[in-house]
Amino acid sequence: MVHEHAPRAAARSRRHPGIAYDDVPAHLERVEPGDPEYARVRSTYLRGGSPGLVLRPGTPAEVADALAFARAQPVKLGIRSGGHGISGRSTNHGGVVLDVSRLNTIEVLDKATRRVRLGPGARWSDVAAALAPYGWALTSGDYGGVGVGGLATAGGIGWLVREHGLTIDHLRAVELVLADGSLVRADDTENAELFWGVRGAGANFGVVTSFEFEVDEVGDVGFAQLILDASDPAALMREWGAAVEAAPRDLTSSLILGRPQPGQPAIAQVMAVVDADDPETVLARLRPLAAVAPLFDHQIQILPYAALMAVPPGPHHGQGEPVSRSALADHLTPELAEAAARLVASGETHFFHIRAAGGAVADVPADATAYAGRSANFSLVAFGSSRAGLHPLWDAMRPHFSGLYLNFETDTREERLHDAFPEPTLTRLRALKRRYDPGNVFRDNFPITP
Ligand SMILES: Cc1cc2nc3c(=O)[nH]c(=O)nc-3n(C[C@H](O)[C@H](O)[C@H](O)COP(=O)(O)OP(=O)(O)OC[C@H]3O[C@@H](n4cnc5c(N)ncnc54)[C@H](O)[C@@H]3O)c2cc1C
């Protein structure tokens, strides 16, 4: 970390052209190539990076100062909270990263209404741990290392999604620094259209500096890991999908298939959370899932939601660029299951993950937020190693899809915007972009052209 303007000559020699280092406001915490801290902040969880400058504001006013500086630089700009972006490029090469990870407070605002305020830099593991003593939880994702900022501006498909909906469905207000540096609040009455857009396309309109949520009462939950025979993967996906859709909303599940290994039995990993702490209910919910294919192994625990989300903190050392494709689907139809089985058999994906996404998500009208894929019961993502290998196979599956949750997608082609934001959502978002970010300052994550 360098607070003053006198970096050593060696560090200075690693500076990137195009960035006016001497103009960085002196009060801002900054890390640049050559600083000892640089190795800890250059990359994100899945992406290798070599930014020219990482600014780490500690207050909303400092976010505005950092943004004013960054806007004036003719280089890329990435906004970073928890550094787990997939679609969001929160690191870059030679550009500026505005890292709000220091804005990581978790406060209870009102016990009676279960209103909490979260900083964008808090991790979902920390949020779960902080809410646990109150007997509360906020549905987020399935991995506690993910940050609040990137997830809560896009959707949030987590372990309690079928029962409690998306994370954004619990959002009651945000504060954000807009492209012009102003700090505004947005909720259902104040800047209501902006609040609509932040819930699904938030990365386009500003840097969110705090989120106010209404959280739920959640006690211990059942958590199961089942290893199932995947020798007929299409049948497995179909049956699992039907079992998930038929289950009460207190069950949420996901299914993972990997690249077939020669000489090894084909297996799938099914994970499930049941929001209940009595073993009978947990087992009753799990039985239909365990019956979709021969069961090779299983593990079932009843544990606090916070224990499920706990992950050790640490710096990120991602390398290269992740390659993933993603989609939402209303149902795992026989045609979709066959196509997905062919994709898995091709070896072009080493990690194919289907998450349940339905239930309470569909209780919210499609035009209530910028997340439009309310009819989808499933969110699919395939990670691969080559764009050339994955794209054609995934593109061919498009007729079976009903939309896109952008947070798992790395394809930057324009069609993806239409998948994620079908009309009239996209037109409404373009109007918001013209109003709040006509210069496209916020462009590191599915930028909506004004
Ligand atoms: C291992 C793993 C598991 C995941 N599991 C789930 C899951 O179960 N459910 C789910 O819904 N998603 C999941 N995701 C996807 C996750 O929601 C996104 O990757 C999300 O963007 C990560 O947020 P972050 O703050 O950690 O990321 P960052 O890399 O810090 O940010 C990603 C992008 O979000 C935007 N952004 C970040 N902070 C702000 C801010 N303060 N204001 C405005 N925009 C901002 C920027 O465009 C940025 O590029 C997972 C990702 C990973 C890597």
Side-chain angles (χ1 to χ4, degrees), residues 79 81-85 88 90 141-142 147 150 157 203 206 208 355 405 407 444-445:
I79 308 299
S81 287
H84 277 63
S90 62
D142 59 20
I157 297 173
V208 179
R355 290 173 170 86
Y405 171 47
N407 261 7
D444 73 348
N445 192 3

Side-chain angles (χ1 to χ4, degrees), residues 395-440:
D395 289 343
M397 289 165 68
R398 199 157 172 264
H400 310 303
F401 299 148
S402 62
L404 170 64
Y405 171 47
L406 61 80
N407 261 7
F408 293 121
E409 177 64 77
T410 60
D411 181 20
T412 53
R413 286 175 293 177
E414 171 80 14
E415 301 100 283
R416 299 294 82 76
L417 266 188
H418 297 265
D419 294 344
F421 306 116
E423 293 299 352
T425 302
L426 187 54
T427 296
R428 217 171 141 181
L429 286 171
R430 286 199 209 281
L432 263 181
K433 188 77 172 175
R434 276 196 297 278
R435 179 161 171 205
Y436 289 103
D437 185 21
N440 207 11

Side-chain angles (χ1 to χ4, degrees), residues 58-69:
T59 64
E62 287 185 8
V63 172
D65 295 341
L67 188 61
F69 169 82

